[in-house]
Amino acid sequence: MFVLLALHLLIGVGIVASGDRLGRRAFAVAALAPLATVVWAITQADAVLDGRPVVVEVTWVEQLGLGLDLRLDAFGLAMVALVSGIGFLVCVYAVGYFSHPKQGTARLAGLMTLFAGAMLGVVMADHLLALFVAWELTSVTSYLLIGNDDRSPRARAAALQAILITGTGGLVMLVGIIAVGHTAGTYRISELLADPPSGGVISGGLVCILIGAFTKSAQAPFGSWLPGAMVAPTPISAYLHSATMVKAGVYLVARLSPIFATTGNWRLLVLVVGATTMIIGGLRALRQYDLKLLLAYGTVSQLGFLMLLFGTGQYQIAQAGVALLLAHGAFKAALFMVVGMVDHEVGTRDIRELHGFGSAWSPTLVVGVLGAASMAGLPPLFGFIAKEKALDGYVEHGDFIGSGAIVIVIVIGSILTFAYSARFVLGLFGVFGTDDADPRSRAAHAPSVLFLAPAAVLTVSTVAAGLAPVLVDRLVRASTLALQPGVTPSPVELWAGFNTALVLSLIVISTGLVLTAYRVPLGRLQRRASDAISWIPSAEQGFLACLRGMTDGSKRVTALVQNGSLPIYLAVIVTVAAVAPLIPAVSVFPSLPKLIDAPIQIPLGILVVVAALGAAVVRRRIAAALMLGAVGYGMAGLFIVQGAPDLALTQLVIETLATVLFVLVLRFLPTKWADRSPAIARPIRIGVSTLAGVSVFVMALVSSAARDDVAAPNISEEMIARSAPDAKGNNVVNVILVDFRGLDTLGEITVLLVAAVGAVALARTGRRRLIPGRREQGHARPDQGAGS
Amino acid sequence: MSQLVPLPIVLPLLGAALSVVFGRWHGFQRLVGVVCLSTSLVISIVLLVAADDTGFVVAQGGGWPAPIGISLVVDRLSAIMLVVSAIMLLAVLVYAIGQGEVERVHAGFHPTYLVLAAGVAASLLTGDLFNLFVSFEMMLAASYVLITMGGRAAQVRSGMTYVVISLVASTFFIIVLALIYSATGTINLADLSERIPELSGEVQLMFAIALLVVFGIKAGLFPLFFWLPDSYPTAPAPVTAIFAGLLTKVGVYAIIRTQTLMFPIDARPATLILVVAALTMTVGVFGAIAQDDVKRILSFHIVSQIGYMIFALGLFTVAGVAAAVFYTFNNIILKTNLLLVAGLVERRGGSSRLSEVGGMVRTAPLLGLLFALPALSLAGLPPFGGFVAKFAVFDAGAWSEQWVLVGVAAFVSLLTMYSMTKIWAGAFWGEREEEPSGRPEPGGRLGGPVLMVGSTAAVVLVGLAVMIWAAPLYAFTERAAVDLLDPSRYVEAVLGERP
């Protein structure tokens, strides 16, 4: 299995790397990967359908439980049939679709192959984290595919919306997976199935996982990205956004429902969301004029339906889900392909601009009609069988609260499905064509055989599975068993006898016909109703509002925090540095020690304090420099009193040197500071400085009082003791500087060297008169949230 | 083996001296730089292997036994940091040589860069608090020079912010250092690890918080990070890249080292760290979203991701500290990488503002790839190294049942992805919306000079290597975390057997 995934990666990267050299032939190359997968799957099919899954165990980061275990069971096989089977057909179709390749067309093929590989990973993963890895890869490739026509702002916006919504879901899901995996002690789906965990954390984690599944499968209220994603070329929409990727959420729900349907609110959540999505999607589909959008909303509706089928945890209903999954994949991909052909040959997908086609189009129209009929659930097609099974499952086996309501939802949803399927067919035949539009569709060139063939293959399979359900019976039954081992799924039949489901089907069809017949007044009614509720924000608006709120909020926070003013930064930093360590220190503040050892300390102390205050207050630069020098001399005096002549000497030298340098340099600067800061700044500065002083004072007292708690002597004592005998030096300070701690001295010398290099560099720049920046980048850009 | 320990400090310093003396021969400077840093890299790898073998490699400065002299200690944490930073230093030097702007114009570039390398190595190796201060000074002094080396007005102005705040931080560091010495009578880290527990709980906490603030300024924690996004983006591209990759992470290293080694578990301000982590993550990423300039976006992300590291550290479990270490070294690679690409984008497009560049996926597809891989990794998308790192953090948070923080981290990770897509859509998709302020330079098929693209690609490959060898690397960080959480082994390695 890993070889297959690697093959996808290899082919995909290869095509992307080749740039535009391959043109539309890239799709022919891309077709190899799904073809190989299909062939491989056929060789494994027998064993897998007999309940012997193919298992590959791969560890990645074992310590973290990150595994990449793969497992292909019958349900996985059904998904592989969708992913690779339809994938192959879409590749063939794309060769016809991109008859005039543009820049970037080949890249689509490469990205699609990468996507196919990721999607295979999703359906083959037996490890929740491996599933997550593949899941996110499908999001990323989908982003790149939607936005591939990168010059179009609409494409970029749609891509962004898709990745943000599915990405949010993915992250929430990751948290959920971790929560479940941690509590259960395993991330393996097969192990979870064998020993279902429960508990509060699990329930919370499951909600998170469901949110991930809902976003991916475009469930309400996260579905707004899917219609937007239709800006992608039709082969991409047919593949990602109807047949495969959007099924990932459904797939996950299908996998986990047998384990968790009765845990927490899983079933309730899935049913409510699924029901809402099914109805809203159907209603929206009925209002579309763009055939592709009609199908897109139809897909949303059907995904809701699938949720209803898989989310119950009842195998009889899930069995219908498997059938519908396959049926939907076949008819929806074929319908998208038909729309793509119309778009390609006529140049429009708007049903108001279609006025029927020439006779050469008959095969295409047959494909379209049969596909729509399967979607509507008409016998004897696969779609009918799946819907019958669904209704039957709910009516006969839905023994949980609310199952009756769900039956009604399914019936209403199916009526809507019938109605929009009819709209699709009528639109295709030009019933909606308006007189003012150019009736060019009548003269349009019919699609070539190669272009039509993939859709035809899908249609044949839809009809065949409908007429001879035995073809899919084994797969559907084995898939159900794979989802929930030990159950006894019923056979898949076209004629299941006179039962409630059949009656409901008849109701659906007849009501659907009525809706179609009265479509004009009903359309008006629907428009009026939707106008009436237009004040309710749509999911799309909700998303945009969130996005705007987030960016605006970020800008506001940043403008506040990152205001570009050095004095404010300093004030905050100094305050934090002064206050934070002070908090624990205050409670152990010792009684004041004897502050004065010798009388001479009093004048020296006063000198230091006054000079320091003076340096802060005076406006003349020279005066401030001299005051600073006075502080230094005062300190040197204190050192002498304390018995540290070396230190005092050093201090005196440094102060003298510094003051002289200051005076020399200050000649080049204005003599006074211009204080342009607002009046409020002064008390704040005084406050912060006082705070810093107090804080250091308190901490110094606390620290020196704490010296008694530590028994060991200062290391300086040993240094003094070893200075003369071991280091052969009588002056311990010198020994420390050049021997004991010579490395420090080396470091400090280096610092001096670097400072010299820097001074030279800056001085040179100064001589050249600061090169005016190419553009000011650091400050004062309101759009960057920095205004000095 | 212990003779090798000082070499990652001494070699670049020697190189710096040669570079100053022979400043007129530009080719010689380049040779010295590359040779020194390559040799350092090799030595670092040898030390890594040795440290993983025995746990610790210790050298005592001047042969004086600790705590009189200065101890240099290689443990697993410092070893992995040393190796990763050596790779980055070398790659960025090659990139700078390829770019030939600041590196060619200023004879001072090479010596200063080598001093920076020495300062980074010294900060990672030292086992002495005062020497850590000196090492930081070496690193910072070099960075002051490098950040203003372009000499543009904006660089000097933002360099000012950087220098002033760093000096304040250094002052505070030296004050705290003095206080700690006055309370314990020692500055050797191992020695401190034994003496500090004898202090009262409040005093311990006071020191722990004070050191957190000191290194927090350097690492860019909330609310101390303001200087960072204002100063980094204006520096020359290679300088921004190495600063973004290394300097803040050295601050994080210092936080990890001091908090775990010096303070017993109950004196560590764990809750404070977690709160700060959450704020750092969110405020940083908000800042990134509000920007329109690639380098500024990435600079804000530095801050945001420091939050992740601190979050994992603040759990003070083996899983947490291991995740912190993993995240840190992986982030060094990613951040350097992305800013190197940003430099290439700026060169190719004439600007680093998103509105002034565009469509590079068509004009420079290789740059697109070089950006996409680390960007996906930075956003924590699987299967890249950044995902493993993020997952390790989440996983550690889950073990400690810090679900709120895990949720915050997930939210921040979403916003990170958003701002990566913003860069992607702005620089690589679409068309430029405004005329660039600078002059776009044709990049040829590669998208830039061979050395620049080549060194960037090399860093991308290092990032991919982290993904492929995530398991052994994580196992390594786990061993590092075990050492860090049991300081007695460090103490024993430095001070010798105690009765």
Side-chain angles (χ1 to χ4, degrees):
Chain A
M1 279 189 270
F2 247 97
V3 178
L4 284 173
L5 297 183
L7 181 71
H8 281 83
L9 180 69
L10 207 68
I11 293 182
V13 171
I15 295 176
V16 172
S18 73
D20 286 318
R21 240 162 282 153
L22 286 170
R24 65 170 174 163
R25 277 166 299 169
F27 283 95
V29 180
L32 291 176
L35 185 64
T37 314
V38 169
V39 170
W40 175 81
I42 290 172
T43 62
Q44 307 292 323
D46 216 37
V48 171
L49 290 176
D50 278 345
R52 295 196 304 276
V54 188
V55 179
V56 183
E57 293 190 10
V58 189
T59 51
W60 183 20
V61 189
E62 206 175 349
Q63 302 89 340
L64 289 170
L66 266 179
L68 299 177
D69 305 301
L70 300 181
R71 185 169 182 273
L72 183 71
D73 61 10
F75 187 52
L77 191 67
M79 291 299 292
V80 170
L82 283 181
V83 173
S84 296
I86 294 182
F88 173 70
L89 293 174
V90 166
C91 282
V92 175
Y93 172 80
V95 176
Y97 184 85
F98 293 108
S99 53
H100 309 289
K102 291 187 299 184
Q103 198 183 13
T105 298
R107 195 166 56 223
L108 279 176
L111 290 171
M112 209 170 96
T113 314
L114 290 176
F115 164 80
M119 193 62 211
L120 274 184
V122 170
V123 301
M124 287 178 171
D126 184 37
H127 193 285
L128 282 174
L129 291 170
L131 185 143
F132 174 78
V133 170
W135 180 285
E136 292 291 77
L137 283 176
T138 63
S139 295
V140 174
T141 41
S142 161
Y143 169 77
L144 293 173
L145 282 166
I146 298 172
N148 193 55
D149 181 16
D150 66 271
R151 288 192 183 92
S152 148
R154 263 183 69 214
R156 293 200 301 266
L160 179 66
Q161 188 177 6
I163 198 167
L164 278 187
I165 294 181
T166 55
T168 311
L171 278 166
V172 175
M173 185 169 104
L174 177 62
V175 175
I177 289 176
I178 292 177
V180 169
H182 263 262
T183 321
T186 177
Y187 289 109
R188 296 279 295 260
I189 298 171
S190 48
E191 288 171 11
L192 287 169
L193 187 59
D195 182 19
S198 62
V201 176
I202 293 276
S203 306
L206 290 178
V207 172
C208 292
I209 293 181
L210 275 180
I211 289 176
F214 291 158
T215 54
K216 199 76 168 172
S217 283
Q219 300 294 295
F222 309 118
S224 63
W225 64 270
L226 185 56
M230 294 297 146
V231 297
T234 303
I236 306 301
S237 313
Y239 189 40
L240 269 73
H241 306 124
S242 84
T244 53
M245 186 179 83
V246 291
K247 302 264 171 69
V250 172
Y251 170 82
L252 186 64
V253 169
R255 280 282 179 207
L256 298 184
S257 284
I259 315 173
F260 296 118
T262 51
T263 313
N265 294 320
W266 176 281
R267 187 188 275 157
L268 178 73
L269 207 56
V270 177
L271 294 187
V272 168
V273 169
T276 316
T277 310
M278 186 175 185
I279 301 294
I280 291 184
L283 285 172
R284 285 246 168 136
L286 263 181
R287 278 164 41 196
Q288 303 307 318
Y289 288 100
D290 181 343
L291 285 176
K292 204 171 165 186
L293 277 183
L294 186 153
L295 290 182
Y297 281 109
T299 306
V300 171
S301 171
Q302 296 279 305
L303 289 170
F305 192 9
L306 284 166
M307 285 286 177
L308 291 180
L309 298 181
F310 280 119
T312 62
Q314 300 259 1
Y315 74 90
Q316 299 93 338
I317 303 176
Q319 193 184 356
V322 177
L324 184 63
L325 198 66
L326 293 170
H328 180 259
F331 68 67
K332 196 49 79 59
L335 289 175
F336 265 104
M337 287 178 184
V338 169
V339 172
M341 286 183 260
V342 170
D343 195 11
H344 186 266
E345 306 294 350
V346 185
T348 181
R349 305 184 304 238
D350 193 315
I351 51 177
R352 287 166 298 192
E353 296 174 13
L354 295 178
H355 297 83
F357 294 94
S359 59
W361 277 78
S362 308
T364 316
L365 296 182
V366 168
V367 166
V369 170
L370 284 175
S374 182
M375 178 155 80
L378 289 181
L381 299 169
F382 196 13
F384 170 75
I385 296 180
K387 201 176 63 200
E388 281 295 277
K389 201 92 192 131
L391 287 168
D392 186 59
Y394 257 101
V395 171
E396 301 293 328
H397 305 285
D399 49 5
F400 45 85
I401 302 165
S403 65
I406 298 297
V407 173
I408 297 171
V409 168
I410 293 179
V411 169
I412 295 175
S414 301
I415 293 170
L416 293 172
T417 306
F418 186 97
Y420 68 72
S421 304
R423 185 182 175 87
F424 181 86
V425 172
L426 295 176
L428 209 54
F429 279 96
V431 174
F432 292 91
T434 50
D435 295 337
D436 51 337
D438 173 23
R440 56 194 153 160
S441 68
R442 289 197 194 119
H445 183 267
S448 66
V449 176
L450 181 75
F451 199 8
L452 179 61
V457 170
L458 287 169
T459 309
V460 168
S461 62
T462 299
V463 177
L467 289 173
V470 65
L471 290 172
V472 291
D473 182 43
R474 193 172 169 212
L475 180 58
V476 172
R477 281 213 256 178
S479 297
T480 316
L481 265 174
L483 286 174
Q484 210 161 350
V487 297
T488 48
S490 58
V492 181
E493 294 160 323
L494 179 59
W495 177 249
F498 282 108
N499 53 17
T500 327
L502 186 66
V503 176
L504 290 175
S505 272
L506 289 175
I507 294 177
V508 167
I509 294 170
S510 48
T511 321
L513 283 172
V514 172
L515 282 189
T516 311
Y518 291 96
R519 62 183 179 275
V520 182
L522 282 172
R524 269 202 299 274
L525 189 71
Q526 199 191 351
R527 221 171 6 255
R528 217 169 301 145
S530 76
D531 287 346
I533 57 162
S534 60
W535 54 270
I536 302 175
S538 70
E540 171 95 20
Q541 288 160 334
F543 166 78
L544 291 175
C546 279
L547 190 62
R548 209 166 331 115
M550 199 174 70
T551 44
D552 288 355
S554 301
K555 281 194 179 134
R556 223 165 294 142
V557 169
T558 309
L560 183 73
V561 174
Q562 200 72 24
N563 48 40
S565 154
L566 179 57
I568 295 181
Y569 295 170
L570 271 181
V572 174
I573 289 175
V574 171
T575 310
V576 171
V579 173
L582 202 60
I583 294 167
V586 168
S587 63
V588 285
F589 188 71
S591 54
L592 279 182
K594 198 174 140 211
L595 286 175
I596 298 157
D597 286 333
I600 185 70
Q601 284 174 333
I602 298 173
L604 282 174
I606 292 174
L607 171 68
V608 170
V609 171
V610 170
L613 285 176
V617 171
V618 293
R619 284 286 167 84
R620 297 181 74 88
R621 288 174 198 263
I622 295 269
L626 292 177
M627 296 280 193
L628 275 185
V631 173
Y633 286 123
M635 288 303 297
L638 286 173
F639 289 150
I640 293 175
V641 176
Q642 225 53 38
D646 299 60
L647 211 50
L649 205 60
T650 316
Q651 178 81 20
L652 284 173
V653 171
I654 288 177
E655 283 307 333
T656 312
L657 200 62
T659 311
V660 170
L661 283 178
F662 263 131
V663 170
L664 284 178
V665 174
L666 288 181
R667 288 191 303 139
F668 298 104
L669 293 175
T671 49
K672 280 188 178 180
W673 276 291
D675 191 356
R676 280 172 306 211
S677 51
I680 181 77
R682 203 175 170 83
I684 293 178
R685 285 179 193 167
I686 293 172
V688 171
S689 314
T690 316
L691 199 60
V694 169
S695 174
V696 172
F697 181 72
V698 172
M699 287 197 288
L701 288 183
V702 168
S703 304
S704 34
R707 185 68 187 90
D708 303 335
D709 296 339
V710 179
N714 282 0
I715 47 169
S716 57
E717 290 177 23
E718 197 181 345
M719 284 178 175
I720 293 166
R722 296 183 70 162
S723 174
D726 292 347
K728 312 290 181 222
N730 289 326
N731 184 332
V732 69
V733 175
N734 290 352
V735 173
I736 290 176
L737 285 177
V738 300
D739 197 344
F740 291 144
R741 304 190 62 90
L743 199 56
D744 285 343
T745 313
L746 175 67
E748 292 297 354
I749 291 172
T750 312
V751 171
L752 279 183
L753 170 96
V754 171
V757 170
V760 170
L762 269 186
R764 273 196 193 158
T765 314
R767 212 177 301 155
R768 276 182 281 141
R769 282 288 176 84
L770 292 181
I771 305 163
R774 286 195 299 190
R775 187 150 177 181
E776 298 300 309
Q777 291 195 338
H779 293 265
R781 304 206 96 164
D783 58 337
Q784 293 175 345
S788 57
Chain B
M1 188 57 61
S2 61
Q3 298 90 323
L4 288 182
V5 177
L7 289 183
I9 308 171
V10 175
L11 269 179
L13 283 183
L14 199 67
L18 283 174
S19 220
V20 170
V21 174
F22 298 100
R24 294 200 175 269
W25 289 288
H26 197 63
F28 181 76
Q29 278 194 325
R30 290 180 167 179
L31 183 71
V32 166
V34 171
V35 168
C36 277
L37 293 180
S38 319
T39 322
S40 279
L41 174 59
V42 174
I43 294 168
S44 306
I45 292 171
V46 173
L47 287 174
L48 175 81
V49 174
D52 195 34
D53 209 26
T54 57
F56 298 90
V57 183
V58 181
Q60 306 289 4
W64 294 103
I68 297 183
I70 294 169
S71 311
L72 298 177
V73 188
V74 185
D75 68 347
R76 292 187 176 95
L77 170 64
S78 47
I80 186 89
M81 295 284 292
L82 200 60
V83 169
V84 172
S85 50
I87 299 173
M88 294 306 123
L89 283 162
L90 182 60
V92 173
L93 181 67
V94 174
Y95 180 95
I97 291 173
Q99 191 193 29
E101 284 176 17
V102 63
E103 182 264 352
R104 186 192 296 277
V105 177
H106 282 281
F109 176 83
H110 280 278
T112 315
Y113 190 80
L114 287 172
V115 170
L116 181 84
V120 169
S123 307
L124 298 173
L125 288 174
T126 187
D128 185 285
L129 201 55
F130 187 81
N131 192 245
L132 182 64
F133 172 77
V134 174
S135 309
F136 264 57
E137 284 305 297
M138 283 207 296
M139 191 171 87
L140 291 177
S143 70
Y144 301 153
V145 177
L146 287 172
I147 206 166
T148 50
M149 205 162 243
R152 299 207 311 267
Q155 288 176 334
V156 175
R157 180 171 338 108
S158 58
M160 184 73 185
T161 308
Y162 177 73
V163 172
V164 170
I165 291 188
S166 296
L167 284 177
V168 168
S170 297
T171 312
F172 194 54
F173 189 4
I174 198 81
I175 291 173
V176 175
L177 192 56
L179 295 176
I180 290 179
Y181 181 74
S182 76
T184 59
T186 188
I187 41 174
N188 182 294
L189 289 178
D191 210 13
L192 281 168
S193 176
E194 293 209 312
R195 294 194 190 186
I196 282 184
E198 295 173 25
L199 297 170
S200 70
E202 289 82 1
V203 179
Q204 292 182 33
L205 189 60
M206 177 180 90
F207 288 148
I209 293 176
L211 284 178
L212 184 65
V213 172
V214 168
F215 300 128
I217 300 176
K218 211 51 248 146
L221 295 187
F222 181 87
L224 310 165
F225 68 83
F226 317 112
W227 56 272
L228 192 156
D230 279 358
S231 53
Y232 278 12
T234 51
V239 174
T240 310
I242 202 67
F243 282 17
L246 284 184
L247 296 197
T248 47
K249 265 56 103 183
V250 174
V252 172
Y253 165 85
I255 293 178
I256 298 178
R257 174 67 72 208
T258 50
Q259 295 293 327
T260 55
L261 178 59
M262 286 171 58
F263 301 100
I265 181 87
D266 45 348
R268 296 175 196 151
T271 316
L272 176 72
I273 291 180
L274 291 180
V275 173
V276 167
L279 288 168
T280 309
M281 278 191 266
T282 25
V283 176
V285 86
F286 281 160
I289 289 179
Q291 307 305 314
D292 177 47
D293 182 293
V294 179
K295 287 161 99 180
R296 281 184 70 88
I297 293 177
L298 292 171
S299 297
F300 272 98
H301 277 301
I302 300 174
V303 175
S304 173
Q305 278 134 11
I306 297 288
Y308 277 86
M309 301 165 204
I310 297 299
F311 162 32
L313 171 71
L315 301 169
F316 290 117
T317 57
V318 170
V321 177
V325 177
F326 194 102
Y327 200 104
T328 307
F329 79 74
N330 186 55
N331 201 249
I332 294 178
I333 300 168
L334 293 179
K335 262 287 116 65
T336 312
N337 196 345
L338 284 170
L339 278 153
L340 289 180
V341 180
L344 283 166
V345 167
E346 190 178 16
R347 182 193 159 89
R348 184 79 182 72
S351 169
S352 59
R353 286 176 67 83
L354 290 177
S355 51
E356 295 172 9
V357 291
M360 290 211 183
V361 76
R362 279 171 272 117
T363 54
L366 185 62
L367 295 193
L369 183 70
L370 293 181
F371 172 79
L373 293 175
L376 289 171
S377 186
L378 190 82
L381 282 166
F384 299 100
F387 168 70
V388 181
K390 182 177 83 175
F391 182 78
V393 173
F394 284 16
D395 188 65
W399 283 117
S400 305
E401 303 198 335
Q402 292 287 354
W403 294 109
V404 175
L405 268 148
V406 173
V408 171
F411 174 66
V412 171
S413 157
L414 173 74
L415 299 189
T416 309
M417 185 179 75
Y418 169 63
S419 71
M420 288 301 127
T421 62
K422 192 169 151 181
I423 298 181
W424 177 260
F428 294 96
W429 277 354
E431 304 278 7
R432 63 168 97 235
E433 291 149 21
E434 297 166 29
E435 275 308 298
S437 41
R439 190 166 52 87
E441 303 206 15
R445 275 184 56 218
L446 292 176
V450 179
L451 282 182
M452 286 173 83
V453 177
S455 54
T456 311
V459 180
V460 171
L461 289 179
V462 174
L464 291 180
V466 173
M467 169 181 92
I468 294 167
W469 285 289
L473 283 169
Y474 183 79
F476 179 88
T477 56
E478 242 181 5
R479 291 194 291 278
V482 171
D483 287 345
L484 287 170
L485 290 174
D486 178 17
S488 63
R489 308 175 58 184
Y490 184 103
V491 173
E492 192 181 297
V494 176
L495 299 180
E497 291 282 347
R498 288 302 175 89

